[in-house]
Amino acid sequence: MREKLVRLGYLLGLALVLSGILYFFASNWQGFDRYTKIALSVGLMLLFYGSAFAVRKLLPQQAFLSHWTLLAGALSFGLSIALLSQIYNTHAESYWLFLIWLVPVILFSFFTKYQPFYVLSFVLFQFTMAFFISPAGAVSQRGEQETLLLYAAMAFVNLLIFWIIKKKHLSSPVIMYAAFCLFHYIFLTVSLPDFTGSSSLRIGLIIFYLLFLLSSFFYFSKVEPQRSFLGISIVAFALFVIEQFFSFIFKHYAEWSLFLALGFVILFIGASVWFVKWLTTNTSAQKTSLRVIKRIAVIGITAIASVIGSSSLGGLITLITGTYPTNGMLVIGVLLIVACYLIKADIPTVKYTLLMMGVLISGGASFFVNDILFFIYVIALVALLVFTKHTPVRLLLFVLVQGLLLIKVPTTYYDTIKIDYVLLALFLLNAAVYAINVHHAFKKAALLLAFIFLLSLTELSEPSFLNIIYCTVFFVISTVFLFVTVRKEPKYDFIVGMIFWFVFLAMKYYDFVWDLFNKSLVLVILGLIFLFLSRKWDLSTPDQPQPSFLDRSRTAVWIIILVQLIILGGIFTKNEVLLQNGKEIKLALQPIDPRSLLQGDYVELNYAIAHVTLPHVKDGEKVKLVLRPNKQGVYEYAKIYQADDDWNKPYTSKKKDVVITGSYHEWGIQYGIEHYFIPEGTGSKVESEARFATVRVGKNGDAIVTKVGQNKKTAASTLKRLFFYFN
């Protein structure tokens, strides 16, 4: 029992310290020069790695702690790469950052067989693929067909990972479920109507995906019954049908299309009745599993039929009447709910479809009726919640009532009732429901909603003392909750609390109550307190030494750490040589202001020399452009370039000429200097003032941005001209 508390304390302490370090680097704190920052980041990585071996020697009974500190070292390696990119203003969120990070993590996974390294490798692989296919902050340079093929390849790689783990060639349940879900997510994205037009390749992929879904139903219900994978497939199928329905309606919005959709719903429900009977008689699943599989199937069928049915009915009535009759739609929705209870036959798909259609129609219309009618409707739903016997229906009504109140009350009575008050009231309501003796499904739902409402309180308040109180309350409640539930079985409560604890930690990165530097200090101090208390408690419970992969893979781990140091040293040396020896030039630009996932605030620089058309140059080809200074000292394209080792015209180098290397695309030329990192919160100022970038270009054509700002001479001359004009 005490061991679980000690482990939790260590985990939270390490998470807080790591988050504080990330916040510290992301804050772009200007008190350190670049050498100090680099030394700190590399030193931090070595500190974690060294701690892993030191802890293994000093606390052999707590093998998990040395494993976690080794994992923290791998995470620090990624942060070090991000920091180097930040310092030298290169490659914000580019796929290469995650690829370089991925390689040593995969090696750690191979030698240690440690699950967190498997998961980290999987996550980094997904980021690498995602940013390779669709680079952040850059115009896509790939055609529709190539983009589709890359997304399809990414989906099939995830399907392969899922199959390898399912066949027990590798053990990682988390990755297995994540890979299966990502496969569906990618294909659902590809199936969106406006994703890549209506090419034959896209249509072929959609047909394949539909066949895959149908095959999944058969395989996971009859051949190898597994309710979790069947449930994921049915949810994916429901989303697929719904997105295709709305695509069809948007293209052919007319009475005939809506009548056709209603006819489809009727036929679909009829077919679903047969499908549920077929599941009952043709599956090899055990009785308990069969009941769950049938429930999952009913949920998927209900979702499809109710969304399509309610949308079609609402659209048809609007077309016929020329308006959306809110009172009439509320009545129709209530009648559908009543019809659900009047049907005595045991036909769950029909009953639940009527219920969901009634809820969707009446719930949507209730926001537009007068206040008295709205509260009568809510009271009726509460009464139905109390007297109905079906737990799924009661859960639906429980969530629906809270959602209606959350949206309606603060928007209608915003002068007297702030949304903070509603969120706080709903949090207390759900906390009370969780605390009392109710059905376990209600306890789970109430716990989830309570955390959602409490977390929302930390975001909705304006930056103020009240916001700090909400944040403190959330942190204290969630942390205490974790220590209380870590000892309980099953682990649902603890897992929910842990997820929201880490989500809160991540969300505060974008919170502006305190700047990132101050928050980093608070998090580090809290983390050290957690580690100190856990260590103190740990000393009072000596145990026998536990086996560790560090014992059998010590040499391999040190070699991987050495490889990481070589990578960091190579990045540092390459950029530092260019920074010290490159020729300094000034370029005109027009910046915009996005944010990097790992590296803090930055502006994306849109250079004038990027918008150059080069005839007879292929898309993606490497080119070298000759730049020359104009009268203001700003370097411009000199109409001379080299592609495929050939100059477009005879070229003789002049004294002030600079040759810069880039990658040519139809939309422009990319030089690798498109990002400039800035202190937190200064993006709008830089965006409004920056007109020129100072760049150092090496002899090989590579470049680094060293400064972004306004041309003072040009600004002064502009003001002088304006003065004479108005006088």
Side-chain angles (χ1 to χ4, degrees):
M1 190 71 67
R2 180 173 290 183
E3 181 183 359
K4 291 183 178 180
L5 296 174
V6 170
R7 286 196 175 199
L8 178 60
Y10 279 128
L11 173 61
L12 300 185
L14 282 174
L16 289 167
V17 170
L18 270 175
S19 298
I21 293 167
L22 173 61
Y23 282 21
F24 173 77
F25 288 146
S27 66
N28 296 296
W29 192 42
Q30 302 301 304
F32 295 146
D33 58 29
R34 67 176 183 274
Y35 298 114
T36 304
K37 289 182 178 180
I38 293 170
L40 284 173
S41 64
V42 176
L44 177 71
M45 183 186 76
L46 293 177
L47 175 64
F48 278 121
Y49 283 138
S51 298
F53 291 97
V55 169
R56 179 58 188 161
K57 186 175 183 179
L58 297 173
L59 296 172
Q61 76 277 12
Q62 299 292 6
F64 73 91
L65 189 55
S66 58
H67 298 170
W68 287 353
T69 47
L70 187 71
L71 179 65
L75 294 172
S76 298
F77 171 67
L79 297 181
S80 297
I81 298 174
L83 181 63
L84 284 173
S85 297
Q86 181 201 70
I87 291 172
Y88 296 110
N89 298 298
T90 58
H91 304 290
E93 295 183 357
S94 296
Y95 74 92
W96 78 269
L97 187 155
F98 295 100
L99 181 61
I100 293 174
W101 192 359
L102 171 64
V103 173
V105 174
I106 287 180
L107 293 175
F108 275 132
S109 303
F110 178 78
F111 286 106
T112 65
K113 305 295 189 294
Y114 188 44
Q115 281 295 321
F117 279 124
Y118 285 148
V119 175
L120 182 58
S121 299
F122 178 77
V123 171
L124 292 177
F125 168 75
Q126 303 302 328
F127 276 119
T128 302
M129 287 294 297
F131 286 118
F132 177 75
I133 298 172
S134 180
V139 180
S140 177
Q141 51 187 280
R142 295 185 174 86
E144 292 181 358
Q145 300 293 321
E146 186 181 359
T147 301
L148 269 175
L149 286 172
L150 286 171
Y151 273 116
M154 185 177 177
F156 284 121
V157 169
N158 277 290
L159 184 62
L160 179 63
I161 293 172
F162 161 75
W163 194 253
I164 289 173
I165 299 175
K166 191 174 184 304
K167 291 301 179 182
K168 302 188 184 305
H169 298 298
L170 185 70
S171 176
S172 183
V174 173
I175 295 179
M176 179 175 63
Y177 282 99
F180 193 61
C181 291
L182 277 171
F183 168 81
H184 286 290
Y185 172 77
I186 293 170
F187 265 100
L188 286 171
T189 303
V190 169
S191 301
L192 289 171
D194 296 327
F195 182 74
T196 52
S198 57
S199 64
S200 57
L201 176 60
R202 176 178 173 271
I203 294 173
L205 290 174
I206 291 175
I207 293 173
F208 163 81
Y209 183 55
L210 182 59
L211 294 175
F212 178 86
L213 287 171
L214 296 176
S215 302
S216 297
F217 299 156
F218 176 79
Y219 186 85
F220 292 123
S221 61
K222 183 174 176 60
V223 179
E224 190 176 342
Q226 287 187 305
R227 57 196 187 190
S228 54
F229 298 126
L230 178 63
I232 294 171
S233 299
I234 288 177
V235 169
F237 179 71
L239 293 173
F240 175 80
V241 173
I242 290 170
E243 74 177 16
Q244 295 305 312
F245 161 75
F246 281 110
S247 171
F248 174 80
I249 290 298
F250 289 149
K251 288 182 179 179
H252 311 284
Y253 187 68
E255 290 186 23
W256 68 267
S257 63
L258 297 174
F259 276 116
L260 185 63
L262 286 174
F264 167 79
V265 170
I266 296 172
L267 291 175
F268 184 73
I269 293 176
S272 70
V273 175
W274 169 85
F275 177 69
V276 172
K277 289 182 179 179
W278 178 85
L279 275 178
T280 305
T281 57
N282 290 275
T283 184
S284 58
Q286 297 179 354
K287 187 175 181 180
T288 304
S289 297
L290 176 61
R291 185 170 61 251
V292 176
I293 289 173
K294 286 173 61 178
R295 186 176 299 171
I296 294 171
V298 169
I299 291 173
I301 293 165
T302 301
I304 296 172
S306 58
V307 171
I308 295 177
S310 58
S311 302
S312 303
L313 185 59
L316 193 59
I317 292 174
T318 302
L319 274 178
I320 293 173
T321 62
T323 184
Y324 187 80
T326 54
N327 291 343
M329 295 304 294
L330 182 65
V331 172
I332 291 173
V334 171
L335 290 176
L336 288 172
I337 295 174
V338 173
C340 164
Y341 285 92
L342 293 178
I343 297 176
K344 300 299 181 182
D346 186 19
I347 313 176
T349 52
V350 176
K351 296 178 68 173
Y352 287 129
T353 298
L354 289 173
L355 175 66
M356 281 301 300
M357 285 182 62
V359 166
L360 290 173
I361 292 173
S362 62
S366 66
F367 293 113
F368 305 101
V369 299
N370 64 68
D371 296 350
I372 296 177
L373 197 56
F374 170 81
F375 285 110
I376 292 174
Y377 172 69
V378 169
I379 292 171
L381 291 179
V382 173
L384 189 61
L385 186 159
V386 173
F387 292 107
T388 191
K389 297 180 180 180
H390 299 285
T391 301
V393 177
R394 297 182 69 194
L395 278 174
L396 171 66
L397 296 173
F398 180 68
V399 176
L400 175 63
V401 168
Q402 295 185 67
L404 292 174
L405 292 173
L406 179 61
I407 298 173
K408 178 73 172 181
V409 173
T411 54
T412 305
Y413 306 100
Y414 59 87
D415 289 332
T416 54
I417 303 178
K418 295 183 178 180
I419 192 171
D420 300 51
Y421 305 155
V422 180
L423 285 171
L424 185 58
L426 292 177
F427 161 71
L428 294 174
L429 169 67
N430 284 279
V433 172
Y434 175 78
I436 62 178
N437 187 20
V438 294
H439 192 279
H440 65 88
F442 269 91
K443 291 182 77 73
K444 290 180 178 180
L447 176 65
L448 195 61
L449 291 171
F451 269 112
I452 290 174
F453 294 139
L454 187 57
L455 184 64
S456 300
L457 279 171
T458 68
E459 288 294 305
L460 290 179
S461 295
E462 294 294 329
S464 63
F465 180 71
L466 184 60
N467 185 278
I468 296 175
I469 291 177
Y470 285 144
C471 291
T472 304
V473 169
F474 182 93
F475 181 80
V476 171
I477 290 178
S478 59
T479 303
V480 172
F481 182 81
L482 288 176
F483 279 99
V484 171
T485 57
V486 68
R487 298 168 290 180
K488 293 184 178 180
E489 295 290 345
K491 291 293 186 182
Y492 174 84
D493 295 6
F494 176 75
I495 292 173
V496 169
M498 184 66 75
I499 290 173
F500 278 94
W501 193 88
F502 277 100
V503 168
F504 169 77
L505 209 59
M507 287 173 61
K508 294 304 105 181
Y509 178 92
Y510 294 103
D511 186 82
F512 294 101
V513 178
W514 293 337
D515 61 34
L516 288 172
F517 177 66
N518 287 334
K519 280 187 283 192
S520 69
L521 292 179
V522 173
L523 291 176
V524 169
I525 292 171
L526 285 173
L528 293 176
I529 292 173
F530 273 83
L531 291 174
F532 172 77
L533 294 176
S534 300
R535 168 65 173 156
K536 186 175 181 180
W537 205 353
D538 187 19
L539 288 175
S540 63
T541 57
D543 295 318
Q544 294 297 321
Q546 296 177 345
S548 170
F549 55 71
L550 284 175
D551 298 333
R552 68 174 187 272
S553 305
R554 184 181 299 268
T555 302
V557 169
W558 277 117
I559 291 174
I560 296 170
I561 295 172
L562 179 61
V563 169
Q564 291 177 328
L565 288 173
I566 293 173
I567 291 172
L568 293 175
I571 297 173
F572 167 76
T573 302
K574 175 181 178 295
N575 288 287
E576 196 63 30
V577 168
L578 178 55
L579 195 62
Q580 296 296 331
N581 301 324
K583 185 173 182 179
E584 186 174 274
I585 65 174
K586 184 179 292 184
L587 298 173
L589 54 82
Q590 293 178 341
I592 59 176
D593 181 27
R595 175 186 283 267
S596 169
L597 175 67
L598 291 177
Q599 300 153 302
D601 288 346
Y602 70 90
V603 289
E604 184 176 330
L605 306 178
N606 183 17
Y607 294 93
I609 61 170
H611 304 286
V612 173
T613 301
L614 304 180
H616 313 299
V617 178
K618 298 178 182 179
D619 190 68
E621 188 174 350
K622 294 293 183 182
V623 295
K624 291 185 176 181
L625 271 67
V626 176
L627 306 180
R628 286 174 182 165
N630 59 20
K631 294 180 180 179
Q632 288 76 35
V634 179
Y635 275 72
E636 298 175 338
Y637 172 48
K639 310 297 183 184
I640 304 173
Y641 69 91
Q642 183 190 64
D644 197 20
D645 295 328
D646 293 327
W647 292 98
N648 66 321
K649 62 174 70 173
Y651 170 60
T652 302
S653 178
K654 295 185 178 181
K655 183 178 180 180
K656 293 187 177 182
D657 281 3
V658 169
V659 178
I660 189 170
T661 302
S663 178
Y664 182 78
H665 306 283
E666 293 180 359
W667 49 266
I669 302 177
Q670 196 169 20
Y671 298 98
I673 52 174
E674 285 72 29
H675 303 113
Y676 182 73
F677 293 92
I678 56 178
E680 179 193 10
T682 63
S684 58
K685 181 180 179 181
V686 174
E687 182 181 7
S688 62
E689 295 182 358
R691 295 294 179 268
F692 300 92
T694 302
V695 177
R696 284 194 176 270
V697 184
K699 293 182 179 180
N700 61 352
D702 290 344
I704 285 182
V705 187
T706 59
K707 185 180 179 182
V708 170
Q710 191 172 23
N711 189 322
K712 295 182 179 179
K713 182 178 178 181
T714 303
S717 62
T718 301
L719 290 173
K720 186 176 181 180
R721 287 196 300 270
L722 288 173
F723 176 79
F724 282 111
Y725 175 79
F726 285 109
N727 288 274

PDB file of all heavy atoms in Angstrom, residues 680-691:
ATOM      1  N   GLU A 680       8.281  35.311 -24.801  1.00  0.00           N
ATOM      2  CA  GLU A 680       6.853  35.035 -24.654  1.00  0.00           C
ATOM      3  C   GLU A 680       6.022  36.320 -24.642  1.00  0.00           C
ATOM      4  O   GLU A 680       6.342  37.288 -23.971  1.00  0.00           O
ATOM      5  CB  GLU A 680       6.627  34.264 -23.343  1.00  0.00           C
ATOM      6  CG  GLU A 680       5.181  33.929 -23.069  1.00  0.00           C
ATOM      7  CD  GLU A 680       4.974  33.474 -21.644  1.00  0.00           C
ATOM      8  OE1 GLU A 680       5.897  33.602 -20.833  1.00  0.00           O
ATOM      9  OE2 GLU A 680       3.878  32.984 -21.349  1.00  0.00           O
ATOM     10  N   GLY A 681       4.958  36.322 -25.431  1.00  0.00           N
ATOM     11  CA  GLY A 681       4.016  37.431 -25.416  1.00  0.00           C
ATOM     12  C   GLY A 681       4.414  38.635 -26.241  1.00  0.00           C
ATOM     13  O   GLY A 681       3.723  39.648 -26.221  1.00  0.00           O
ATOM     14  N   THR A 682       5.533  38.556 -26.992  1.00  0.00           N
ATOM     15  CA  THR A 682       5.975  39.709 -27.776  1.00  0.00           C
ATOM     16  C   THR A 682       5.673  39.555 -29.258  1.00  0.00           C
ATOM     17  O   THR A 682       6.134  40.356 -30.070  1.00  0.00           O
ATOM     18  CB  THR A 682       7.493  39.932 -27.601  1.00  0.00           C
ATOM     19  OG1 THR A 682       8.185  38.781 -28.112  1.00  0.00           O
ATOM     20  CG2 THR A 682       7.845  40.125 -26.136  1.00  0.00           C
ATOM     21  N   GLY A 683       4.914  38.513 -29.609  1.00  0.00           N
ATOM     22  CA  GLY A 683       4.666  38.225 -31.020  1.00  0.00           C
ATOM     23  C   GLY A 683       3.980  39.354 -31.760  1.00  0.00           C
ATOM     24  O   GLY A 683       4.377  39.714 -32.874  1.00  0.00           O
ATOM     25  N   SER A 684       2.954  39.952 -31.155  1.00  0.00           N
ATOM     26  CA  SER A 684       2.217  41.010 -31.851  1.00  0.00           C
ATOM     27  C   SER A 684       3.100  42.229 -32.083  1.00  0.00           C
ATOM     28  O   SER A 684       3.006  42.893 -33.116  1.00  0.00           O
ATOM     29  CB  SER A 684       0.984  41.404 -31.035  1.00  0.00           C
ATOM     30  OG  SER A 684       1.364  41.840 -29.734  1.00  0.00           O
ATOM     31  N   LYS A 685       3.984  42.535 -31.134  1.00  0.00           N
ATOM     32  CA  LYS A 685       4.879  43.679 -31.296  1.00  0.00           C
ATOM     33  C   LYS A 685       5.872  43.432 -32.421  1.00  0.00           C
ATOM     34  O   LYS A 685       6.105  44.294 -33.282  1.00  0.00           O
ATOM     35  CB  LYS A 685       5.622  43.953 -29.989  1.00  0.00           C
ATOM     36  CG  LYS A 685       6.554  45.156 -30.068  1.00  0.00           C
ATOM     37  CD  LYS A 685       7.265  45.385 -28.740  1.00  0.00           C
ATOM     38  CE  LYS A 685       8.210  46.575 -28.842  1.00  0.00           C
ATOM     39  NZ  LYS A 685       8.939  46.810 -27.570  1.00  0.00           N
ATOM     40  N   VAL A 686       6.459  42.240 -32.435  1.00  0.00           N
ATOM     41  CA  VAL A 686       7.408  41.905 -33.491  1.00  0.00           C
ATOM     42  C   VAL A 686       6.714  41.905 -34.837  1.00  0.00           C
ATOM     43  O   VAL A 686       7.240  42.392 -35.838  1.00  0.00           O
ATOM     44  CB  VAL A 686       8.065  40.535 -33.207  1.00  0.00           C
ATOM     45  CG1 VAL A 686       8.942  40.109 -34.377  1.00  0.00           C
ATOM     46  CG2 VAL A 686       8.884  40.602 -31.933  1.00  0.00           C
ATOM     47  N   GLU A 687       5.503  41.365 -34.857  1.00  0.00           N
ATOM     48  CA  GLU A 687       4.754  41.289 -36.110  1.00  0.00           C
ATOM     49  C   GLU A 687       4.471  42.672 -36.677  1.00  0.00           C
ATOM     50  O   GLU A 687       4.537  42.891 -37.893  1.00  0.00           O
ATOM     51  CB  GLU A 687       3.447  40.535 -35.884  1.00  0.00           C
ATOM     52  CG  GLU A 687       2.611  40.365 -37.140  1.00  0.00           C
ATOM     53  CD  GLU A 687       1.318  39.644 -36.861  1.00  0.00           C
ATOM     54  OE1 GLU A 687       1.018  39.398 -35.682  1.00  0.00           O
ATOM     55  OE2 GLU A 687       0.603  39.339 -37.824  1.00  0.00           O
ATOM     56  N   SER A 688       4.163  43.629 -35.811  1.00  0.00           N
ATOM     57  CA  SER A 688       3.801  44.968 -36.283  1.00  0.00           C
ATOM     58  C   SER A 688       5.020  45.808 -36.647  1.00  0.00           C
ATOM     59  O   SER A 688       4.936  46.691 -37.491  1.00  0.00           O
ATOM     60  CB  SER A 688       2.978  45.692 -35.211  1.00  0.00           C
ATOM     61  OG  SER A 688       3.738  45.853 -34.026  1.00  0.00           O
ATOM     62  N   GLU A 689       6.177  45.517 -36.020  1.00  0.00           N
ATOM     63  CA  GLU A 689       7.340  46.377 -36.215  1.00  0.00           C
ATOM     64  C   GLU A 689       8.383  45.795 -37.164  1.00  0.00           C
ATOM     65  O   GLU A 689       9.117  46.536 -37.808  1.00  0.00           O
ATOM     66  CB  GLU A 689       8.001  46.668 -34.860  1.00  0.00           C
ATOM     67  CG  GLU A 689       7.128  47.486 -33.918  1.00  0.00           C
ATOM     68  CD  GLU A 689       7.853  47.791 -32.620  1.00  0.00           C
ATOM     69  OE1 GLU A 689       9.000  47.331 -32.459  1.00  0.00           O
ATOM     70  OE2 GLU A 689       7.271  48.499 -31.775  1.00  0.00           O
ATOM     71  N   ALA A 690       8.475  44.468 -37.223  1.00  0.00           N
ATOM     72  CA  ALA A 690       9.566  43.854 -37.981  1.00  0.00           C
ATOM     73  C   ALA A 690       9.371  44.041 -39.478  1.00  0.00           C
ATOM     74  O   ALA A 690       8.312  43.732 -40.016  1.00  0.00           O
ATOM     75  CB  ALA A 690       9.659  42.370 -37.649  1.00  0.00           C
ATOM     76  N   ARG A 691      10.379  44.572 -40.133  1.00  0.00           N
ATOM     77  CA  ARG A 691      10.349  44.750 -41.586  1.00  0.00           C
ATOM     78  C   ARG A 691      11.566  44.130 -42.262  1.00  0.00           C
ATOM     79  O   ARG A 691      11.564  43.922 -43.465  1.00  0.00           O
ATOM     80  CB  ARG A 691      10.289  46.246 -41.927  1.00  0.00           C
ATOM     81  CG  ARG A 691       9.005  46.934 -41.472  1.00  0.00           C
ATOM     82  CD  ARG A 691       7.799  46.406 -42.216  1.00  0.00           C
ATOM     83  NE  ARG A 691       6.564  47.035 -41.775  1.00  0.00           N
ATOM     84  CZ  ARG A 691       5.792  46.540 -40.813  1.00  0.00           C
ATOM     85  NH1 ARG A 691       6.110  45.402 -40.213  1.00  0.00           N
ATOM     86  NH2 ARG A 691       4.688  47.155 -40.461  1.00  0.00           N
TER      87      ARG A 691
END
